Amino acid sequence: MGHGVRELVLELNGRTWTLSSSRSYTLGRDPQGDMVLEDARVSWRHASISWGGHSWLIEDHGSTNGTYVQGQRIQRAEIGPGAAVHLGNANDGPRLTLSTATADARSAAPAQGAGRQHQPLQHQAPEPPPEARRSWPEPQSVDGQGWQGAPEAAAGWQSQQQPIIPEQQGGQPQGPAPIHGDRSPTTFYQLALGRVMRIGRALENELVVSDLQVSRHHAEFTATPDGRFQIRDLGSHNGTYVNGQPVANSGTVVIGPNDIVGVGHSTFRIVGDRLEEFVDTGEVSFSARHLTVTVDGGKQILRDVSFGVPEKSLIGVIGPSGSGKSTLLKALTGYRPANQGDVLYDNRSLYKQFAELRQRIGLVPQDDILHKELTVRKALKYAAKLRFPGDTAETEREARIDEVLRELKLDLHKNKKITSLSGGQRKRVSVALELLTKPSLIFLDEPTSGLDPGMDRDVMQLLRGLADDGRTVLVVTHSVAELQLCDKLLVMAPGGSVAYFGPPEEALNFFGYTTWADVFSAFENYREYDWAGRWRGSQHYQLYAADIDAVAAQSVNMPSPQQMRPPKPQSWGAQLITLMRRYVSVIASDKGFMGLMVILPAVLGLVSVVIPADFGLAAPNDGRSKFNGDAGTIMLILAVGITFSGAANSVRELIKERVIYERERATGLSRSAYLMSKVIVLGMITALQAVIICGIGFATRRLPEEGLIMPPAVELCLVITALGFTSMMFGLVISSLVKTAEKTMPLLVMFAIVQVVFTGILFKVYGSPGLEQFAWLMPSRWAIAGAGSTLDLGRLMPPWDHKNPDDLDPLWEHTATQWGINMTILLAIGVLCGFAVARLLRRHEPEVMRK
């Protein structure tokens, strides 16, 4: 397309430009651009057109609403005569008509194409009839987000597309400083006193924000008759923020000219009688100022770390073990704020405004944050459900997922299970999960760990591409093979201080070595050397870090934990349903686990059938009843079987998802919803296993004719089910305690054996001070007591004291009251385990999320 055509004519609304292959042309609302388009759907610096050597190319510059060629959203594409190019919307956005340059056009080329003094092009969005304005259907675009412009007739508000240029006086701009460095606002709107301006994703709002982080009806500005301005949250899912602090749900806050209002990726500020909007498209600065982290005992594991990250750059962080790389990553992301210093996101304190800014930061831990049993698309689908507002349509989520899959070249693998992908492809899926919310900053911890050199290169080239596409990427790595792809390199020295920051190609020369192995050996051999002092005394420090480091160190007055904690994108119930559906999908995809869930209880039930006995007294003989001691043995086998099955179901479930839980918790996941999803799904599985065990164990046996409350088979099955549930809860406790999955099996075996010992079947437990009270903590003790009450096991088994036939276990009393007490205590132990698990989960959360 366009091959050999070195001059191209571009036409829009009657104006033409003849493009020369000798230069590049910019399109957007910026009046300093080559082609100025006044349309709310067009970004400030939207795209550029240039000659690529053999064809003309159009490149999107991270625009909010996209650039479309032949109806498809593109980042970079070839164009030529006859190509259909739209800006902002694939259907009715401003269309660029392309044709071959004629002789007359060539003679006019200098006047038409080279200058920057064109009058802005006027383009009106199609306006619906008055009766349809409030029920106008939302148009679908490739990313499912619609377009950012609002109908011109929105009540009381006129969208002004002229740029805001501060008046100059003595070389200094008047009015408040821009909140995004020296960038101009994306757009602004004229305020009208006494009227209300509603903000949201739906097109019927007066101010449409095309961002899936924004609710359909998110918030509203009000200009009161007395000249004040208010912002009111409309029950949004991701929250409305004033100066980084959340506005109470459905609450109202008075704002002034120095206040910043955050809604999704957009921020707003009042300047005079206008409302300026800034859309965060990734062009943000990021810097660390004197970060110091101190642990218990006063030991510093991060010492006075300062550096600044350019916009849209790739930063590599390397260093030996013990240099504080992981601690630095937690401090930079706000997971574990530094004790001293601050992190600035576009000159805004990340720590003070974490609840708002965390939406713009993506983090890919070293371990994959994925359920590997799912397909790529299904894993992203559940992640999108948890992270996007509850009012996001299925089509919107699907469109965003498709967009990310195409960007990372995963669309060919979208229906494959993650387990079947290569290591590099799995890392791409982890990155895709973070890109769903369009973060401006992406942090990665050891993304190439365990990968071969070829995959290492692929991952680093992927990160290079993410930075080139308009994001800032910081990667902590042990691999030094592809550092040349980075824009800047941060080298950490032992003890957590900076040893170097600057271009990677100058780093080895700075240390005076030829290989990184030599540098790391020097760190190890000279651990007491002042590497930070050497760095600060160097010319490289003056070039790359002196300005950032010049700001005095200070302690940050942190907001309250409630203010730092992000809101939940979904309601508690919606999160619970999504988590349960995802968990069921994970289990259903593991055929081996499903088979084991059925086979294990069936085998344990069959083992109990080997004992040929009935649950009842033997026939009278010489006026006395024979004891049936086998009844206790049968119940012991059934109890041990369900104890082992229930605990085995859950003992690995939390440890294997720990990294996933930590990341999702930082994005607003409810701890109680997560735990409850496990309890409900695993509880249903355990109940099914209990029915299988009881069905097999009781099918061939004669039970007593009557129970205490219900039929004996039902009472016994309920006891076994309750024991399985409580054992399952004990398994969750074990899973939340251990640090590695390998430690779960020894603890599982130990738990099962202890339950056998303290059932009260093998030896006398009651009446032994200390031993009896300890046995009260064992679920099996109360389960066997429940079965003993139903079967009158105290009289069915021989008494422990043969001289005193009335020496019976008090927990086995054959009454409905005692059965109820046994069941209540058994279930209460399970509930207490649930509270313990919730408390233990807190240890594995980002510090800002801990209550």
Side-chain angles (χ1 to χ4, degrees), residues 551-851:
V551 181
Q554 59 182 343
S555 297
V556 179
N557 296 322
M558 301 295 289
S560 67
Q562 187 63 38
Q563 290 176 315
M564 292 189 68
R565 191 173 302 119
K568 299 177 178 62
Q570 301 272 342
S571 66
W572 188 90
Q575 284 194 1
L576 176 63
I577 293 173
T578 299
L579 290 168
M580 288 176 59
R581 291 180 60 186
R582 181 178 69 179
Y583 192 26
V584 170
S585 296
V586 171
I587 293 175
S589 64
D590 190 344
K591 307 301 182 185
F593 179 74
M594 290 185 66
L596 187 61
M597 284 192 310
V598 176
I599 294 173
L600 179 61
V603 170
L604 294 172
L606 289 172
V607 169
S608 69
V609 176
V610 174
I611 303 174
D614 294 324
F615 293 98
L617 294 171
N621 182 21
D622 298 332
R624 300 182 60 185
S625 296
K626 289 184 178 180
F627 293 108
N628 187 354
D630 289 337
T633 305
I634 295 169
M635 288 308 305
L636 176 62
I637 294 173
L638 296 177
V640 172
I642 195 61
T643 295
F644 189 83
S645 295
N649 288 338
S650 60
V651 76
R652 289 177 178 265
E653 291 308 299
L654 298 183
I655 180 63
K656 75 180 183 181
E657 291 186 359
R658 185 160 294 170
V659 177
I660 299 174
Y661 172 72
E662 180 178 356
R663 179 65 192 125
E664 291 182 342
R665 182 77 172 117
T667 62
L669 179 68
S670 167
R671 181 194 307 156
S672 59
Y674 175 78
L675 177 57
M676 190 57 65
S677 70
K678 298 292 185 187
V679 171
I680 293 175
V681 175
L682 291 174
M684 294 175 63
I685 293 173
T686 304
L688 175 63
Q689 292 177 326
V691 171
I692 294 174
I693 286 180
C694 292
I696 296 175
F698 299 153
T700 60
R701 304 189 187 280
R702 182 169 58 87
L703 296 173
E705 294 181 359
E706 295 183 359
L708 296 170
I709 303 174
M710 297 165 280
V714 176
E715 288 184 5
L716 293 175
C717 191
L718 287 176
V719 168
I720 295 297
T721 302
L723 177 58
F725 170 79
T726 304
S727 299
M728 180 268 294
M729 297 302 296
F730 263 98
L732 290 178
V733 172
I734 294 173
S735 191
S736 61
L737 277 172
V738 297
K739 293 184 178 180
T740 60
E742 289 74 17
K743 295 179 180 179
T744 59
M745 293 311 295
L747 291 175
L748 171 62
V749 173
M750 183 183 70
F751 170 73
I753 291 175
V754 170
Q755 298 311 303
V756 174
V757 174
F758 291 98
T759 55
I761 295 288
L762 300 180
F763 62 92
K764 181 180 177 180
V765 173
Y766 64 94
S768 303
L771 182 65
E772 180 179 13
Q773 286 71 33
F774 182 76
W776 290 346
L777 302 176
M778 301 296 114
S780 62
R781 169 68 170 143
W782 297 100
I784 292 296
S789 296
T790 296
L791 298 171
D792 197 7
L793 205 57
R795 299 186 183 277
L796 197 63
M797 291 181 61
W800 296 109
D801 186 353
H802 297 287
K803 296 180 180 180
N804 183 9
D806 294 326
D807 183 21
L808 304 178
D809 192 327
L811 299 187
W812 294 359
E813 183 180 347
H814 187 56
T815 64
T817 301
Q818 187 60 51
W819 186 87
I821 292 174
N822 295 335
M823 284 290 291
T824 300
I825 296 178
L826 178 58
L827 292 173
I829 294 174
V831 173
L832 289 175
C833 288
F835 284 107
V837 174
R839 189 68 181 176
L840 291 169
L841 278 175
R842 179 180 176 274
R843 302 184 310 160
H844 308 296
E845 299 172 355
E847 289 194 14
V848 294
M849 299 299 297
R850 299 177 186 175
K851 295 182 181 179

Side-chain angles (χ1 to χ4, degrees), residues 166-468:
E167 296 181 0
Q168 303 290 325
Q169 183 176 358
Q172 298 295 328
Q174 301 299 310
I179 60 177
H180 289 282
D182 58 356
R183 282 183 288 281
S184 300
T186 307
T187 189
F188 66 85
Y189 301 82
Q190 193 70 36
L191 299 174
L193 295 180
R195 303 302 295 271
V196 176
M197 180 180 187
R198 191 170 51 184
I199 305 171
R201 205 174 69 249
L203 289 177
E204 62 264 24
N205 293 288
E206 287 76 18
L207 198 165
V208 179
V209 179
S210 298
D211 181 355
L212 290 185
Q213 294 286 345
V214 177
S215 298
R216 295 184 62 82
H217 301 97
H218 196 103
E220 61 184 21
F221 280 101
T222 304
T224 60
D226 59 3
R228 298 190 305 168
F229 300 95
Q230 296 177 340
I231 181 70
R232 183 167 76 92
D233 184 82
L234 299 178
S236 63
H237 296 270
N238 278 319
T240 304
Y241 303 86
V242 175
N243 300 324
Q245 305 307 313
V247 177
N249 200 303
S250 301
T252 301
V253 174
V254 177
I255 56 176
N258 295 321
D259 293 324
I260 301 171
V261 177
V263 174
H265 286 78
S266 295
T267 47
F268 300 87
R269 181 185 59 179
I270 293 175
V271 178
D273 60 349
R274 296 178 300 211
L275 180 68
E276 295 183 351
E277 178 186 7
F278 298 80
V279 178
D280 187 344
T281 58
E283 297 180 352
V284 297
S285 61
F286 184 76
S287 62
R289 303 287 178 91
H290 300 284
L291 298 181
T292 298
V293 174
T294 305
V295 295
D296 295 339
K299 180 182 179 181
Q300 290 186 343
I301 55 178
L302 204 64
R303 300 182 181 180
D304 199 20
V305 174
S306 298
F307 62 94
V309 177
E311 298 177 4
K312 297 190 293 185
S313 59
L314 175 59
I315 309 299
V317 180
I318 63 172
S321 299
S323 59
K325 299 187 300 296
S326 296
T327 303
L328 174 63
L329 195 63
K330 292 180 180 179
L332 293 176
T333 56
Y335 270 34
R336 199 287 188 192
N339 299 94
Q340 281 191 322
D342 202 1
V343 176
L344 299 183
Y345 179 102
D346 228 23
N347 297 318
R348 301 173 65 188
S349 171
L350 175 64
Y351 294 164
K352 291 181 179 179
Q353 305 182 26
F354 178 80
E356 176 190 351
L357 297 180
R358 57 97 195 177
Q359 302 179 46
R360 310 183 192 182
I361 295 176
L363 174 63
V364 180
Q366 180 175 348
D367 297 323
D368 293 327
I369 47 178
L370 305 160
H371 290 90
K372 298 178 182 179
E373 301 85 356
L374 301 178
T375 63
V376 173
R377 187 177 189 84
K378 188 170 287 188
L380 296 181
K381 171 186 173 183
Y382 286 120
K385 281 189 174 182
L386 289 172
R387 299 193 180 193
F388 290 143
D391 60 5
T392 306
E394 185 75 20
T395 54
E396 293 177 300
R397 288 195 298 266
E398 293 290 338
R400 179 58 188 155
I401 291 171
D402 289 339
E403 185 179 351
V404 170
L405 289 173
R406 287 194 299 269
E407 180 178 359
L408 297 182
K409 298 178 176 61
L410 287 169
D411 45 341
L412 296 178
H413 308 286
K414 62 184 179 182
N415 294 320
K416 294 181 181 178
K417 283 191 175 183
I418 296 174
T419 50
S420 67
L421 302 179
S422 65
Q425 290 170 338
R426 284 201 301 269
K427 193 58 62 178
R428 283 178 178 265
V429 180
S430 292
V431 173
L433 189 149
E434 291 300 312
L435 290 186
L436 288 174
T437 55
K438 296 186 178 181
S440 300
L441 287 172
I442 302 178
F443 295 88
L444 300 100
D445 188 9
E446 301 286 356
T448 60
S449 177
L451 302 183
D452 61 48
M455 291 183 180
D456 182 357
R457 176 182 298 175
D458 290 342
V459 171
M460 290 300 292
Q461 288 177 341
L462 165 68
L463 303 184
R464 177 71 265 171
L466 293 176
D468 293 339

Side-chain angles (χ1 to χ4, degrees), residues 502-524:
E505 61 270 15
E506 301 176 17
L508 286 175
N509 184 55
F510 170 82
F511 288 107
Y513 294 98
T514 56
T515 67
W516 283 108
D518 294 332
V519 176
F520 278 48
S521 295
F523 284 149
E524 181 64 29

